[in-house]
Amino acid sequence: MEKRAIVLGGGGSRGAYQIGVWRALRELGIDYQIVTGASVGALNGVMMVQRDYDRAEQLWQKISTEDVVNLKIAPEGIDYKKPGWEREVWKNFVQAAAANGGADFSPLEKTISQVVDEEKVRDSEVDFGLVTVEFPSMKPAELTIEQIPKGELAEFLLASSSCFPALKSRKIGDVRYVDGAYHDNMPVNLALSMGASEVIAVDLEGPGIVRRPKAGTVPVRYIRCYWNLGPFLWFEPSLSRKNMELGYLDTLRAYRKVEGTAYSFVSGTGEYLQKLLSTPGQRLLEIFRQWLKAEASGSIGRTLSRGTQLRCQRILRKHGGNLRSSEGFFMAVAEIAGELLKLEHTLLYSADEFHRHLTEAYAPVEKFTGQIVESFRQQKASVWELVEKVIHEGPLSAVSFCCSAILQAASEGDWPSWIWNLGIVVPESFLTAIYLCLLRMSSENG
């Protein structure tokens, strides 16, 4: 009999993401016969075995840090829009936990008692397994539901979640246990030992050891998120809701129901962008080629253009695109533009909706004009003066500067050599500018 396993990795508060994955699997009609988990993945796994999606969703929509640990970890007045806020939360937690010899997570006991029905788990047609580690011997304990003594499922769920030393170890009988992540934070091998013939592994990229699957003949489909899911020991309802949506969209993407890598686009968007932007794209490409041909005798021109290509290629690969093929290129550059302009990444976009949000986000920062570009040409400012100004102004202003130069080049057929320097120094801005220019050129073509 074929058995599909769901493997849920550990990652604390990031566990909300797995509920979004579950929602998508339900919509897609994808069932499972085995569930294994480590840490928060074990708790979510139990609810999957119980087939209790509604309760799981309600839990994650309202859970807070105070429902997990007796410790306030978010500093007062923290600005969650400020870069680096995750480090501030983590630093505050570590200091508080150290002062208490590890955080007490007795509130989690109450939470588990409200959502876990051990009898329902044992009677389920879905097999369940979890991983924890004996302490201090660090001997792994990979346990199926049959191996967990009756009445102690909640205890072993707590043991699997004991992220020592941040959280206190859990004593069951005469043995102390700590987080399963110390042995295997993605217990794929446990699922294989339970007879899985196919695996869907949901990786929260939480701290811990991840072991390579032993049986290479069994297909393993990994579902991961491009975006940072937040501090793994900070539980907050708005963050949970956001992560659930990301899990949902990433799963639809894994089964090719939506397109994209970082952002989510309705099916057919890639083909639409290809038709929309190929003509202006060819125009820009021809300008590039003419400039490169004119500069072919000069090693500096070739070096600069080559450096820009290499820098841009690395970024494009993260989004499934490359410079040598138009296939996937336009969507990759669209995503780079969206990320730089901070577009919301929990939405499902059509191409037109994405472009509207993109232009609205760009409008307030469009500071440079063609006249400023021309002024630089006339003054013959040095490349380093130009680069220094752009870096000082920031990446968004660099986008605007590049846009002006590219649009002028498109109209005059004269590609400014200094723009390759910007492509090397601020490749994200360079690629974003190219995409915005392609959109403008396509609208001009009607």
Side-chain angles (χ1 to χ4, degrees):
M1 176 183 175
E2 297 292 306
K3 289 187 177 182
R4 180 183 294 116
I6 308 295
V7 176
L8 304 176
S13 60
R14 300 173 187 175
Y17 179 86
Q18 295 170 342
I19 306 305
V21 172
W22 188 7
R23 172 189 161 198
L25 293 177
R26 283 161 53 91
E27 285 190 12
L28 294 170
I30 297 173
D31 200 10
Y32 48 88
Q33 292 73 44
I34 299 170
V35 178
T36 65
S39 196
V40 72
L43 174 58
N44 284 336
V46 159
M47 290 187 283
M48 288 191 77
V49 171
Q50 294 175 184
R51 308 280 192 183
D52 208 344
Y53 173 80
D54 290 339
R55 183 177 292 184
E57 184 181 55
Q58 291 167 11
L59 168 67
W60 281 102
Q61 285 180 341
K62 67 179 183 179
I63 195 169
S64 66
T65 302
E66 289 72 23
D67 296 318
V68 179
V69 294
N70 277 325
L71 197 63
K72 186 173 179 60
I73 69 170
E76 295 291 341
I78 187 171
D79 182 0
Y80 300 114
K81 294 183 179 179
K82 180 182 177 183
W85 67 269
E86 298 97 334
R87 291 190 298 274
E88 191 175 347
V89 169
W90 176 242
K91 178 182 177 182
N92 195 74
F93 174 80
V94 170
Q95 290 174 343
N100 289 274
D104 171 25
F105 63 119
S106 55
L108 184 57
E109 294 183 48
K110 182 179 178 181
T111 301
I112 287 178
S113 69
Q114 293 172 342
V115 298
V116 174
D117 184 335
E118 181 171 342
E119 184 175 350
K120 198 172 181 180
V121 175
R122 293 186 182 278
D123 291 342
S124 175
E125 75 283 5
V126 181
D127 294 333
F128 175 70
L130 60 77
V131 57
T132 183
V133 176
E134 295 182 14
F135 183 80
S137 68
M138 305 309 289
K139 178 183 176 182
E142 295 184 327
L143 306 171
T144 64
I145 187 63
E146 292 79 13
Q147 294 169 318
I148 296 173
K150 288 186 177 181
E152 295 188 1
L153 175 59
E155 287 295 313
F156 277 94
L157 290 172
L158 288 165
S160 183
S161 303
S162 300
C163 187
F164 184 83
L167 303 178
K168 294 179 179 178
S169 61
R170 189 73 181 180
K171 188 174 182 180
I172 304 176
D174 296 328
V175 182
R176 286 198 172 275
Y177 294 90
V178 293
D179 201 299
Y182 279 101
H183 170 64
D184 192 354
N185 204 36
M186 284 293 297
V188 172
N189 287 321
L190 174 57
L192 296 176
S193 70
M194 294 168 66
S197 55
E198 175 190 349
V199 175
I200 300 170
V202 188
D203 186 2
L204 303 177
E205 298 188 286
I209 296 169
V210 175
R211 299 185 182 276
R212 182 177 297 178
K214 293 178 181 177
T217 57
V218 173
V220 181
R221 184 192 300 267
Y222 286 93
I223 299 176
R224 301 184 177 98
C225 192
Y226 174 89
W227 303 96
N228 184 348
L229 297 176
F232 74 97
L233 284 174
W234 184 61
F235 295 77
E236 203 278 327
S238 63
L239 181 62
S240 293
R241 287 191 290 270
K242 180 177 179 179
N243 287 345
M244 280 192 280
E245 199 62 30
L246 289 172
Y248 172 75
L249 291 171
D250 285 345
T251 306
L252 294 182
R253 181 181 296 107
Y255 284 91
R256 302 185 183 279
K257 300 300 181 181
V258 302
E259 297 180 8
T261 299
Y263 289 88
S264 299
F265 300 94
V266 297
S267 182
T269 299
E271 184 178 354
Y272 173 81
L273 293 180
Q274 183 79 10
K275 292 179 180 178
L276 178 70
L277 302 176
S278 286
T279 299
Q282 287 298 320
R283 285 175 57 196
L284 274 187
L285 183 59
E286 184 58 33
I287 293 170
F288 293 169
R289 286 172 177 162
Q290 289 176 2
W291 184 86
L292 289 172
K293 185 177 180 180
E295 296 291 320
S297 59
S299 60
I300 293 179
R302 289 198 302 271
T303 301
L304 288 176
S305 63
R306 179 62 175 162
T308 300
Q309 290 176 39
L310 290 173
R311 290 276 284 162
C312 291
Q313 186 76 306
R314 292 192 192 102
I315 297 166
L316 285 165
R317 282 198 195 102
K318 291 171 57 180
H319 296 268
N322 67 76
L323 289 169
R324 295 184 180 138
S325 170
S326 62
E327 185 177 352
F329 172 79
F330 295 119
M331 185 172 290
V333 181
E335 291 196 337
I336 292 166
E339 187 170 0
L340 190 69
L341 291 166
K342 295 181 169 52
L343 264 60
E344 177 56 50
H345 50 268
T346 60
L347 301 176
L348 178 60
Y349 292 98
S350 68
D352 291 340
E353 288 170 339
F354 189 80
H355 292 159
R356 177 172 56 82
H357 285 281
L358 204 61
T359 52
E360 288 175 356
Y362 175 59
V365 299
E366 190 172 7
K367 295 173 14 179
F368 290 116
T369 65
Q371 286 76 22
I372 293 179
V373 175
E374 184 61 29
S375 174
F376 265 99
R377 285 177 169 175
Q378 292 175 358
Q379 294 173 15
K380 296 184 178 179
S382 72
V383 168
W384 293 116
E385 287 176 319
L386 171 64
V387 170
E388 183 179 355
K389 181 174 180 62
V390 168
I391 292 175
H392 179 266
E393 292 286 343
L396 295 180
S397 291
V399 171
S400 192
F401 199 100
C402 289
C403 273
S404 297
I406 292 170
L407 290 171
Q408 190 162 339
S411 63
E412 299 176 1
D414 180 21
W415 184 258
S417 59
W418 48 259
I419 202 170
W420 295 115
N421 294 79
L422 296 184
I424 293 173
V425 176
V426 282
E428 293 91 347
S429 299
F430 178 76
L431 289 169
T432 297
I434 287 177
Y435 194 76
L436 292 170
C437 289
L438 290 175
L439 287 180
R440 185 171 301 185
M441 293 165 69
S442 69
S443 66
E444 291 171 356
N445 290 340

